[in-house]
Amino acid sequence: MGKGDSPVKGAVALIAGPTASGKSDLAVELALALESRGRRGVVLNADSAQVYADLRVLSARPSEEDMRGVEHRLFGAWDGATPCSAADWAAAAKREIAALHAEGVVPILVGGTGLYLRTLLEGIAPIPAIDPAVREVVRALPTPDAYLALQAEDSERAAALNPGDSQRIARALEVVRSTGKTLREWQAEKTGGIGEVIELHPLILLPDRGWLYARCDRRFEIMLERGAIAEVEALLARGLSPELPVMRAIGVPEIAAFLRGEISRDAMIAAGQQATRNYAKRQYTWFRRQPPADWPRATPENISLHVHFASLLRD
C-alpha cells in the first residue's frame, strides 16, 4: 500500500477477520495504547451488520462498556430501511478517515466484511445502472438456467462461482447483458480507492477453527439472553421488505421463523448457530486467501500490539 504524508497524518490501522474472533477488543486495546503515547485512535466500523441501528444485539455491536471510553464511529449509522452498500459504506469511511487525519487522529478500521474493505482500499468499478428490463428478465430465471446462460455469456465468471450462488450469478449475468462488458472488465477500471494514498497497518485474525466455532455458538446464546428476540420482533413490526439486508442478517430469519411458530426454540437456536458458523467459515476463507500475502496473519493468542503495530506505537 502507498504511504501517507507522515506516520500520523496518513496512518490507518486495520484489524479484520471472521466474526467472534475478538477484533473489536483488540481495536480498543490499540486505541488505548495509542492514547498512552499521547496520540488518539478512533475505531471505525467495517462490518455490514453493525452499520444498522436496528441490529444492536444481533450484530454484537460494542456496548459503552466494551468501548472503554474510546470513540467509535459508523456503528448503527444506518436505519434498517436504507440498505448500506459497499460503495455507501466506503464513501462514509473515506469522509471519516479524512476528517480524522485532519485532526492528527489514527483511524482504526475493524470488521469482517471483506467487500467493504476491498471497496475502500481498491475502489469500485464504475458499472452503470442496470437496465430494469434486463434485471427483471434475469432475476426471473431459475438459478440453473441463469448459470447456463452465464456460462455462455461470461464463462470466466461462471467458472469462478458455485452453480447454486443465485445472487452472484444473477448479478454477473445482468451486468454483461445490460452493459456488454463482463464484471472482470468493469473491475479492471476501479476508481476511488484510498489504498495507495494512506499508510496502512493491517492485521488479519485467523483463530483456531474449533475455538472460533465454539465462540460463535456461545455468542448466539448470549444474543438471545440480551434481547435478540425482542429486537427481531421490533424489526418485524416495521413491515420492512424481507429482501433488505437488515432482514437477512444472521439470526433475523431464524428468530422470525420461531416467532411465526414455524420452528421450535431449540431448532431456532441450532439454525442460528449453524448460520453463524457458516458465515465465520466463509469469512475465514476470504481473509486467508484474498488480502495481500504480506498482510500479517495471527491467532488471537499470539498477538502483541507492540510487535504487530510497532511503527504506530513507537514513542
Side-chain angles (χ1 to χ4, degrees):
M1 296 299 168
K3 301 296 183 181
D5 294 338
S6 72
V8 175
K9 181 179 179 183
V12 175
L14 166 61
I15 301 174
T19 189
S21 60
K23 304 180 298 292
S24 295
D25 291 341
L26 188 61
V28 169
E29 290 291 343
L30 177 57
L32 293 174
L34 287 166
E35 184 179 334
S36 72
R37 285 159 174 75
R39 301 173 68 183
R40 183 171 163 238
V42 170
V43 177
L44 298 182
N45 170 49
D47 180 279
S48 62
Q50 290 184 342
V51 299
Y52 293 111
D54 310 73
L55 297 178
R56 181 185 61 82
V57 177
L58 278 173
S59 71
R61 202 160 73 218
S63 65
E64 289 296 327
E65 181 180 357
D66 295 330
M67 294 180 193
R68 298 169 63 186
V70 172
E71 185 178 0
H72 285 53
R73 299 186 185 181
L74 300 183
F75 289 83
W78 270 260
D79 183 88
T82 304
C84 177
S85 69
D88 295 332
W89 175 85
K94 284 192 283 188
R95 290 193 296 269
E96 296 289 359
I97 289 169
L100 292 170
H101 279 169
E103 300 174 22
V105 178
V106 178
I108 304 171
L109 290 163
V110 60
T113 303
L115 180 59
Y116 274 21
L117 296 170
R118 173 173 280 175
T119 301
L120 174 67
L121 297 174
E122 298 179 5
I124 192 166
I127 302 172
I130 301 300
D131 183 329
V134 171
R135 172 160 288 171
E136 183 177 359
V137 170
V138 168
R139 300 286 168 158
L141 289 172
T143 301
D145 293 348
Y147 187 68
L148 284 173
L150 187 63
Q151 286 179 310
E153 298 175 46
D154 184 357
S155 59
E156 183 179 21
R157 183 60 176 161
L161 295 177
N162 184 310
D165 192 340
S166 58
Q167 186 173 358
R168 289 184 174 86
I169 290 169
R171 176 59 176 165
L173 185 58
E174 69 183 16
V175 166
V176 72
R177 286 188 173 181
S178 182
T179 70
K181 295 169 65 173
T182 66
L183 267 177
R184 180 171 181 176
E185 289 174 312
W186 282 112
Q187 288 167 352
E189 302 176 17
K190 286 181 178 179
T191 59
I194 66 170
E196 297 300 324
V197 296
I198 60 171
E199 180 186 294
L200 187 66
H201 300 261
L203 175 62
I204 304 298
L205 297 185
L206 294 176
D208 171 78
R209 291 196 189 221
W211 177 90
L212 179 64
Y213 296 158
R215 292 252 302 187
C216 288
D217 286 350
R218 178 58 186 145
R219 191 168 82 157
F220 192 76
E221 293 174 348
I222 291 172
M223 288 175 179
L224 293 176
E225 294 168 3
R226 294 181 177 175
I229 292 176
E231 191 166 80
V232 175
E233 284 179 322
L235 265 177
L236 294 175
R238 297 189 63 187
L240 300 177
S241 167
E243 297 304 312
L244 285 169
V246 74
M247 299 303 294
R248 293 185 282 110
I250 292 172
V252 174
E254 293 80 10
I255 294 175
F258 165 69
L259 290 171
R260 291 191 297 264
E262 297 170 0
I263 58 176
S264 68
R265 182 182 177 88
D266 287 346
M268 174 267 288
I269 293 172
Q273 290 175 329
Q274 184 65 61
T276 306
R277 293 195 303 273
N278 290 347
Y279 181 54
K281 181 179 180 180
R282 293 193 299 273
Q283 288 178 303
Y284 192 105
T285 300
W286 196 94
F287 281 111
R288 183 166 58 86
R289 297 177 179 175
Q290 295 297 326
D294 61 348
W295 285 18
R297 275 80 164 167
T299 56
E301 65 271 18
N302 290 325
I303 290 170
S304 166
L305 290 176
H306 300 285
V307 171
H308 289 102
F309 296 102
S311 57
L312 273 178
L313 296 174
R314 60 177 178 262
D315 294 322

